[in-house]
């Protein structure tokens, strides 16, 4: 793979302040109303966490952003333009699903090449995480021979590979050992420093504390709180994210 | 050309699949054995007819469904890339149907080649055998897509796939025989024709019987078909109906794939 050294990081100032924003998103599955009018925005160059109890609509929201789920109502704009039906907007999104299952008989290198082939723009890849995780030796083995942790590393590395302006990470550290988890967290912070926006969901709140700038808190398909971590702590009067979230949840059930 | 890219990688994945390898080896062994010990080419072709009509649909629909459930997560990852759903679907279908069809062609065709029995008078029958097998592979792979898109649950999907196969191979014939015996006193030709066209496996059988010139000897359906259409038109009608059997489920599956929430 090519060295990323010569490629300048995208200039944060060139981006609009909102990388992605939604207006009035609604979605129901059968009789279940999963999203009831969600407005949210991810600010450029910041790490935003989507939090909320189980069934609050976090993964549906993420899937709508990626075009995996079609909303019943509302719209999504990326970099200020409505994404509509055109899949091209996804070229600027790096996605790390909660659990990656790659074709068993392909090697890691072949998976990487396929994902590159599906993109027309010839962005030189960022193979930073491949090095950070020490994946080079594993890339020529078939996926079925890789351990769960190694697949998850590959999964993370692929999300960062195409220099996205928006990273969507679903439970990024689940299944990673502490060292790999540390490597990934450092990489997330560096991406932010380069002006990349990161949207992540995680259940491990203590882990988010050091990463997160903004919080979107969903309860029963609605945005209960949206704002910076500092403001969350101020409004709830708590100093730790975990406690602040607990407060929000109490407020939500009342 | 998203479809071609996806197809190429899926082909490469399946080429290394042990299940597919097992399928090809089994066909090779069976065809070779029939050619060696089964009393020569013509009889081997007749025996292989049942392999084509029963075994090929089974493998196509069950293996196809299993593969698609296994690929669910990866398909989601592909959908999150900047690709359209329509072309992704085309690539996925081609990448699954092509290796199954090629595997079938190799498994049945190679023994005829190396035994030197595939030419001369047998060439036409063999060509029809191979063509019917490929058509049935395409039809039942399309049905596998439809099944895997209709059922979220893997176990239900697998059950549905087996049911589709059972219905097309065993149950349907039972219905035809029932109808034929229950209404022996009535002219049944036209209703029978209708029943045949409604089942891809029966269409495959008609194709083979017409080609083998044994239509009248080999059961009711072939005889009816030949008497009604004559050989040439019968071939055209049966082939056309099979093509529809491929296009119909495939179109439904594509529409479902495009509108689906993953």
């Amino acid at each position: 793979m090519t060295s990323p050294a010569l490629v300048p990081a995208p200039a944060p100032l060139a981006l609009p302040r909102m990388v992605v924003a939604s207006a009035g998103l609604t979605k129901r599955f059968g009789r279940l109303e999963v999203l009831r009018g969600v407005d949210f925005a991810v600010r450029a160059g910041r790490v935003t966490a989507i939090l909320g109890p189980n069934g609050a609509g976090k993964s549906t929201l993420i899937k709508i952003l990626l075009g995996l789920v079609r909303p019943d109502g509302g719209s999504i704009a990326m970099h200020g333009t409505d994404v509509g039906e055109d899949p091209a907007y996804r070229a600027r999104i790096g996605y790390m699903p909660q659990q990656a299952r790659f074709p068993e008989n392909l090697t890691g290198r072949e998976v990487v090449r396929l994902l590159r082939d599906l993109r027309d723009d010839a962005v030189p890849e960022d193979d930073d995480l491949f090095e950070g995780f020490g994946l080079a030796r594993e890339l020529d083995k078939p996926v079925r021979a890789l351990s769960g942790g190694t697949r998850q590393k590959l999964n993370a590395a692929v999300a960062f590979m195409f220099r996205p302006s928006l990273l969507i990470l679903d439970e990024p550290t689940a299944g990673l050992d502490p060292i790999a988890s540390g490597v990934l967290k450092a990489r997330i912070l560096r991406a932010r420093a380069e002006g990349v926006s990161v949207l992540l969901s995680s259940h491990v709140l203590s882990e988010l504390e050091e990463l997160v700038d903004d919080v979107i808190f969903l309860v029963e398909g609605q945005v209960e709180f949206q704002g910076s971590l500092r403001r969350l702590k101020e409004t709830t009067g708590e100093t730790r994210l975990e406690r602040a979230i607990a407060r929000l949840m109490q407020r939500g059930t009342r | 050309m998203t479809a071609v890219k996806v197809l190429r990688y899926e082909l490469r994945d399946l080429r290394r699949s042990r299940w597919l390898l097992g399928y090809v080896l089994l066909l090779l062994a069976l065809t070779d054995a029939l050619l060696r010990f089964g009393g020569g080419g013509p009889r081997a072709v007749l025996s292989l007819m049942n392999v084509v009509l029963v075994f090929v649909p089974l493998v196509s629909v069950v293996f196809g469904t299993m593969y698609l459930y296994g690929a669910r997560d990866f398909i989601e990852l592909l959908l999150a890339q900047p690709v359209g759903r329509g072309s992704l679907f085309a690539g996925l279908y081609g990448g699954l149907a092509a290796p199954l069809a090629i595997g079938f062609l190799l498994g049945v065709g190679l023994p005829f080649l190396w035994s030197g029995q595939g030419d001369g008078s047998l060439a036409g029958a063999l060509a029809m055998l191979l063509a019917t097998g490929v058509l049935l592979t395409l039809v039942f792979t399309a049905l596998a897509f439809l099944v895997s898109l209709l059922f979220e649950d893997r176990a239900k999907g697998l059950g549905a796939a087996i049911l589709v196969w059972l219905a097309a191979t065993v149950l349907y014939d039972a219905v035809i025989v029932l109808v034929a015996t229950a209404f022996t006193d009535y002219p049944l030709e036209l209703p029978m024709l209708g029943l045949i066209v409604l089942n891809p496996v029966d269409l495959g059988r008609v194709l083979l019987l017409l080609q083998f010139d044994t239509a009248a000897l080999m059961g009711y359906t072939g005889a009816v078909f030949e008497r009604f259409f004559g050989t040439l038109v019968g071939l055209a009608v049966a082939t056309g109906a099979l093509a529809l059997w491929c296009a119909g489920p495939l179109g439904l599956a594509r529409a479902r794939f495009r509108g689906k929430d993953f």
Side-chain angles (χ1 to χ4, degrees), chain B residues 52-101:
Chain B
V52 167
L53 292 177
V54 176
F55 190 52
V56 166
L58 176 70
V59 171
S60 300
V61 74
V62 171
F63 176 79
T65 308
M66 269 173 26
Y67 181 82
L68 288 168
Y69 279 107
R72 235 319 131 80
D73 288 346
F74 190 61
I75 291 174
E76 281 188 24
L77 185 64
L78 291 180
L79 282 167
Q81 310 303 316
V83 296
R85 286 193 178 196
S87 44
L88 182 56
F89 179 81
L92 288 171
Y93 176 71
L96 181 57
L100 279 168

Side-chain angles (χ1 to χ4, degrees), chain A residues 27 29 63 66-70 87-91 93 95 97 99-107 110-111 113-115 117-120 144 155 158 162, chain B residues 1-2 5-6 8-10 12-14 16-18 67 69-71 73-85 88 154 257-262:
Chain A
K27 180 70 193 177
F29 293 116
K63 286 183 166 189
L66 291 164
L68 292 175
V69 168
R70 310 286 170 87
Y89 79 96
R90 292 198 285 267
I93 296 180
Y95 172 48
Q99 200 180 68
R101 289 190 50 192
F102 302 113
E104 295 274 289
N105 302 307
L106 295 184
T107 65
E110 285 167 335
V111 171
R113 213 180 302 146
L114 166 61
L115 293 174
D117 282 355
L118 291 178
R119 291 162 189 262
D120 297 326
R144 87 180 103 81
N155 185 18
V158 160
F162 301 107
Chain B
M1 288 310 286
T2 302
K5 290 170 190 163
V6 173
R8 274 182 40 214
Y9 278 85
E10 201 180 349
R12 187 176 297 182
D13 180 35
L14 280 167
R16 301 174 190 155
S17 152
R18 283 164 202 174
Y67 181 82
Y69 279 107
D73 288 346
F74 190 61
I75 291 174
E76 281 188 24
L77 185 64
L78 291 180
L79 282 167
Q81 310 303 316
V83 296
R85 286 193 178 196
L88 182 56
R154 178 194 292 249
F257 187 81
R258 286 173 59 112
K260 188 178 158 60
D261 290 329
F262 281 85

Side-chain angles (χ1 to χ4, degrees), chain B residues 45-46 48-53 56 104-105 108-109 112 118 120-137 200-214 225 230-240 242:
Chain B
V45 172
L46 273 179
L48 281 169
M49 204 178 92
N50 287 314
V51 172
V52 167
L53 292 177
V56 166
F104 165 77
L105 286 176
V108 173
F112 276 92
S121 59
L122 215 51
L126 178 61
M128 186 51 84
L129 188 76
L130 294 177
T132 306
V134 169
L135 274 173
L136 285 176
T137 303
V201 172
D202 271 315
L203 285 168
R205 182 175 296 129
V206 163
L207 274 181
L208 292 172
L209 293 178
L210 288 175
Q211 180 65 33
F212 289 160
D213 255 355
T214 44
F225 225 81
T231 305
L232 216 61
V233 182
L235 280 178
V237 169
T239 312
L242 261 184

